[in-house]
């Protein structure tokens, strides 16, 4: 009987240790105290183009979680912004990141621009296509390989390299010129997690 007591104690310590590890792991993947999607708190309508909402946060409660929802109206350029560091002044060095995984739905094609802190304004940015999902929720990976990014003559050619943009990334900016109904539900950037505000 005495031999079983230490074994029982060992099992109890082991179970408590595993529970503690699981709790710590779950705590590390928690959302921020304020509305966010995977820790990203600043999903914004910029007021550029006719959108609903026109300005302010895109975050809305949806099935017990948050989603960033925006509708682009009319045949004109529209802009929806995500600040990667959850504040405008923040920047992230993504030079070692493979890319990002986005969970979203879109009724038409659009683009995402990687905007650096030193060249934030204007349309002349490196971008990549975000394909239409025909309204279905999908998860896609977008590579940070330079060959995956281009520019549009209509918006202008960037005067800086894509590699330099990765070192000082301020935001992902979603742009489109057609009517579109968008919902963003998940974002994981390889090797980066934003600080909660």
């Amino acid at each position: 009987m005495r031999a079983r007591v230490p074994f029982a104690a060992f099992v109890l310590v082991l179970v408590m240790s595993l529970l503690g590890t699981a709790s710590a792991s779950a705590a590390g993947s928690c959302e921020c105290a304020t509305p966010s999607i995977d820790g990203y708190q600043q999903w914004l309508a910029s007021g550029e183009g006719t959108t609903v909402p026109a300005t302010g946060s895109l975050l809305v409660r949806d099935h017990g979680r948050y989603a960033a929802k925006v509708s682009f109206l009319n045949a004109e350029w529209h802009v929806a912004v995500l600040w990667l560091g959850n504040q405008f002044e923040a920047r992230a060095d993504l030079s070692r990141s493979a890319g990002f995984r986005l969970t979203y739905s879109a009724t038409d094609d659009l683009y995402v621009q990687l905007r650096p802190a030193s060249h934030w304004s204007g349309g002349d940015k490196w971008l990549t296509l975000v394909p239409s999902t025909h309204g279905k929720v999908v998860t896609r990976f977008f590579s940070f390989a330079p060959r995956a990014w281009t520019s549009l003559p209509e918006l202008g050619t960037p005067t800086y390299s894509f590699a330099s943009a990765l070192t000082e990334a301020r935001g992902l900016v979603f742009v489109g010129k057609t009517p579109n109904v968008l919902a963003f539900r998940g974002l994981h950037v390889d090797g980066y997690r934003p600080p909660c505000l």
Side-chain angles (χ1 to χ4, degrees):
M1 194 73 170
R2 287 182 187 172
R4 293 184 183 177
V5 173
F7 179 74
F10 169 76
V11 170
L12 180 61
V13 168
L14 181 62
V15 169
M16 293 302 287
S17 172
L18 291 173
L19 287 175
T21 302
S23 298
S25 175
S29 63
C30 287
E31 291 289 353
C32 300
T34 58
S36 66
I37 299 171
D38 296 318
Y40 294 93
Q41 297 166 287
Q42 299 295 325
W43 300 79
L44 306 166
S46 70
E48 299 169 80
T50 309
T51 63
V52 177
T55 58
S57 177
L58 304 180
L59 291 171
V60 294
R61 197 78 174 156
D62 187 55
H63 297 94
R65 299 189 66 191
Y66 281 94
K69 294 186 176 184
V70 62
S71 293
F72 293 171
L73 309 179
N74 307 326
E76 59 186 4
W77 283 106
H78 313 85
V79 178
V81 177
L82 167 66
W83 293 345
L84 286 168
N86 288 329
Q87 53 186 335
F88 182 73
E89 297 78 12
R91 60 180 70 185
D93 182 353
L94 304 179
S95 58
R96 296 183 179 180
S97 175
F100 62 92
R101 192 171 71 250
L102 183 68
T103 301
Y104 73 102
S105 61
T107 56
D108 204 351
D109 291 345
L110 69 153
Y111 300 92
V112 60
Q113 300 175 326
L114 177 70
R115 291 203 184 186
S118 63
H119 294 82
W120 175 257
S121 298
D124 54 345
K125 303 293 178 277
W126 295 105
L127 52 74
T128 192
L129 178 70
V130 179
S132 170
T133 69
H134 307 288
K136 296 178 181 178
V137 177
V138 303
T139 299
R140 283 200 171 95
F141 182 77
F142 295 85
S143 172
F144 281 146
R147 66 182 178 277
W149 295 74
T150 188
S151 60
L152 291 179
E154 184 176 351
L155 297 177
T157 303
T159 57
Y160 55 92
S161 68
F162 181 70
S164 70
L166 283 172
T167 65
E168 53 162 342
R170 175 171 283 168
L172 294 175
V173 176
F174 298 90
V175 299
K177 197 177 180 181
T178 58
N180 209 337
V181 178
L182 299 163
F184 302 100
R185 300 177 184 278
L187 175 64
H188 295 276
V189 178
D190 172 55
Y192 176 75
R193 183 165 176 84
C196 289
L197 298 184

